[in-house]
């Protein structure tokens, strides 16, 4: 209540001061001066804009209808700088409201059968630019005065897409796969260059601490004289979370003589490992193989064997054994038939 009262008093005080100022003689003099100043400035601006001036504008250049098997060795300039002369009012309209349409070059129109070098002189596209100008506007110059480009019709082959850069998952997460759509693209180039290309690499990518599935469009890195179709692909990085799992596996003896057998204590070893949650049920004890050869046990010189994993299933990491060492005994097998 107290704060509302203070706000009201402040508002009334400010209102009275403003009202007193606006009704005072000094205030009237100030507004009269301001009015004539604005009028004078307006007349000065109109007089100034009625003079002739020169300025420069940019007209974008686009090359279209380029066939897939055509490789641009050098592209035409991306813009044409146009210098014009006209009244200031017209030039101001260009700067504030006028947007120039791109100067479109149709590849098929200028295609050369005897040469792979195209030259388009300013006289050939001057009309397209003049059509966008006012009738009073004088076109003084265009830079560059010649648009040119080189191209070649290359051989082609299909190559797989590969990631260039570094991607990593955050804590307790991992990236089980890198998925490109499409997973391969067509590359066009001259025969000598084409032989050296085995993959279509993306432009360098750095993505770290990813904690959720990510999808984005990436551009392929084409060197000079090569062309990928399509020029970009969709990249998906599926993210999975790690979880722990434990299975029991027996240690198996291999290459034992027929009259020898391996006895291990304990008989089964617990293997604890990290695996992605999506593959938790897929990886079982049957995917792990603990083998030891007869010759290796003879060379130990002790009755303890340190457990080793022969091969690790895909996606499994941080493998631990319990116990890490086992007692073993090579047992002689008795032939019951001799009794």
């Amino acid at each position: 209540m107290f704060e509302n009262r203070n706000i009201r008093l402040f508002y009334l005080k400010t209102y009275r001061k403003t009202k007193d100022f606006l009704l005072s003689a000094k205030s009237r003099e100030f507004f009269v001066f301001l009015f004539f100043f604005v009028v004078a400035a307006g007349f000065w601006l109109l007089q100034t804009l009625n003079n002739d001036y020169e300025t420069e504008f940019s007209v974008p250049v686009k090359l279209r209808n380029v066939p897939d098997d055509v490789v641009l060795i050098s592209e035409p300039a991306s813009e044409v700088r146009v210098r014009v002369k006209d009244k200031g009012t017209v030039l101001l309209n260009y700067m504030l409201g006028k947007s120039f349409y791109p100067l479109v070059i149709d590849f098929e129109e200028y295609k050369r059968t005897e040469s792979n070098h195209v030259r388009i002189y300013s006289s050939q596209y001057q009309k397209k630019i003049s059509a966008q100008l006012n009738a009073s506007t004088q076109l003084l110059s265009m830079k560059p005065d010649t648009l040119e480009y080189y191209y070649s019709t290359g051989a082609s082959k299909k190559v797989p897409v590969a990631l260039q850069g570094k991607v990593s998952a955050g804590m307790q997460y991992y990236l089980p796969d890198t998925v490109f759509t499409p997973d391969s693209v067509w590359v066009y180039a001259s025969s000598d260059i084409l032989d050296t290309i085995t993959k279509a690499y993306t432009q360098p990518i750095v993505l770290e601490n990813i904690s959720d599935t990510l999808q984005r469009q990436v551009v392929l890195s084409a060197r000079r004289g090569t062309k990928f179709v399509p020029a970009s692909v969709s990249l998906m990085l599926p993210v999975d979370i790690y979880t722990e799992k434990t299975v029991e596996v027996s240690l198996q003896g291999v290459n034992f003589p027929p009259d020898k057998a391996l006895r291990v204590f304990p008989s089964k070893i617990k293997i604890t490992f990290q695996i992605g949650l999506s593959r938790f049920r897929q990886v079982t004890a049957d995917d792990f193989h603990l083998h030891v050869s007869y010759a290796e046990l003879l060379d130990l010189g002790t009755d303890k064997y340190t457990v080793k994993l022969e091969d690790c299933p895909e996606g499994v990491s941080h493998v631990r054994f319990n116990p890490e060492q086992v007692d073993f005994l090579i047992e002689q097998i008795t032939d019951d038939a001799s009794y």
Side-chain angles (χ1 to χ4, degrees):
M1 186 67 181
F2 179 75
E3 291 182 356
N4 291 339
R5 183 181 177 187
N6 286 344
I7 293 173
R8 187 177 176 215
L9 290 174
F10 175 77
Y11 170 77
L12 292 173
K13 187 177 180 181
T14 305
Y15 172 75
R16 291 194 192 100
K17 285 184 176 181
T18 305
K19 182 179 178 182
D20 292 342
F21 172 75
L22 294 176
L23 296 176
S24 65
K26 289 184 178 181
S27 173
R28 287 195 296 271
E29 292 176 3
F30 171 76
F31 283 113
V32 170
F33 168 78
L34 184 62
F35 170 76
F36 284 107
F37 175 80
V38 171
V39 171
F43 279 116
W44 173 83
L45 182 62
L46 288 175
Q47 183 65 30
T48 302
L49 291 177
N50 202 40
N51 297 330
D52 287 341
Y53 295 95
E54 293 182 9
T55 189
E56 196 173 76
F57 297 103
S58 173
V59 178
V61 177
K62 290 187 177 180
L63 183 63
R64 70 177 184 184
N65 295 333
V66 180
D68 287 346
D69 62 342
V70 168
V71 179
L72 293 175
I73 300 173
S74 66
E75 297 189 26
S78 61
E79 64 179 18
V80 173
R81 301 296 297 179
V82 179
R83 190 160 191 84
V84 297
K85 182 179 181 180
D86 207 333
K87 301 290 185 183
T89 51
V90 178
L91 299 182
L92 185 63
N93 179 56
Y94 287 145
M95 289 187 289
L96 297 180
K98 178 74 173 180
S99 58
F100 291 95
Y101 294 108
L103 178 61
V104 177
I105 301 172
D106 194 312
F107 181 86
E108 293 297 330
E109 181 181 349
Y110 296 98
K111 184 179 179 180
R112 300 289 185 267
T113 55
E114 71 284 355
S115 171
N116 291 342
H117 179 204
V118 174
R119 286 178 180 268
I120 307 172
Y121 297 100
S122 58
S123 58
Q124 295 174 264
Y125 57 82
Q126 181 175 344
K127 288 184 179 180
K128 295 181 179 180
I129 295 178
S130 297
Q132 301 188 55
L133 302 174
N134 284 11
S136 61
T137 304
Q138 182 182 354
L139 181 58
L140 300 178
S141 64
M142 293 181 291
K143 294 180 182 179
D145 58 1
T146 303
L147 296 174
E148 61 179 336
Y149 57 90
Y150 293 85
Y151 68 91
S152 67
T153 304
S156 65
K157 69 178 181 181
K158 208 168 190 179
V159 294
V161 178
L163 180 69
Q164 180 181 200
K166 178 185 177 183
V167 295
S168 62
M171 290 283 291
Q172 295 300 316
Y173 295 92
Y174 82 106
L175 303 172
D177 200 2
T178 302
V179 182
F180 290 106
T181 306
D183 59 0
S184 57
V185 297
W186 287 97
V187 55
Y188 295 87
S190 58
S191 298
D192 55 334
I193 297 179
L194 199 64
D195 292 339
T196 65
I197 300 175
T198 57
K199 293 181 180 180
Y201 289 98
T202 65
Q203 290 187 350
I205 298 172
V206 177
L207 298 169
E208 298 179 333
N209 297 321
I210 303 172
S211 59
D212 197 4
T213 297
L214 183 146
Q215 189 165 356
R216 64 171 53 182
Q217 198 74 10
V218 293
V219 178
L220 300 178
S221 182
R223 64 186 185 184
R224 189 179 179 86
T226 62
K227 179 181 180 180
F228 291 116
V229 178
S232 64
V233 296
S234 174
L235 165 66
M236 185 178 72
L237 297 172
V239 176
D240 201 358
I241 189 169
Y242 275 121
T243 185
E244 273 199 347
K245 185 173 184 177
T246 300
V247 295
E248 290 188 339
V249 180
S250 300
L251 179 64
Q252 303 291 329
V254 294
N255 298 326
F256 270 62
D259 59 342
K260 303 289 184 181
L262 176 64
R263 297 287 182 266
V264 180
F265 310 97
S267 60
K268 289 191 175 182
I269 298 160
K270 291 182 179 180
I271 302 179
T272 302
F273 55 92
Q274 286 189 349
I275 185 70
L277 190 62
S278 62
R279 299 196 61 213
F280 185 85
R281 295 183 181 276
Q282 298 175 16
V283 178
T284 64
D286 295 337
D287 296 308
F288 294 88
H289 304 285
L290 299 178
H291 293 161
V292 60
S293 69
Y294 178 72
E296 182 181 356
L297 294 178
L298 292 181
D299 292 338
L300 287 178
T302 178
D303 58 357
K304 290 187 179 295
Y305 172 73
T306 302
V307 180
K308 295 188 293 262
L309 188 62
E310 185 175 323
D311 53 15
C312 192
E314 184 180 355
V316 169
S317 63
H318 298 85
V319 179
R320 306 191 306 275
F321 303 106
N322 184 25
E324 295 182 356
Q325 282 190 332
V326 294
D327 296 318
F328 70 91
L329 174 66
I330 299 177
E331 187 177 53
Q332 182 71 38
I333 301 176
T334 304
D335 188 358
D336 295 336
S338 61
Y339 290 98

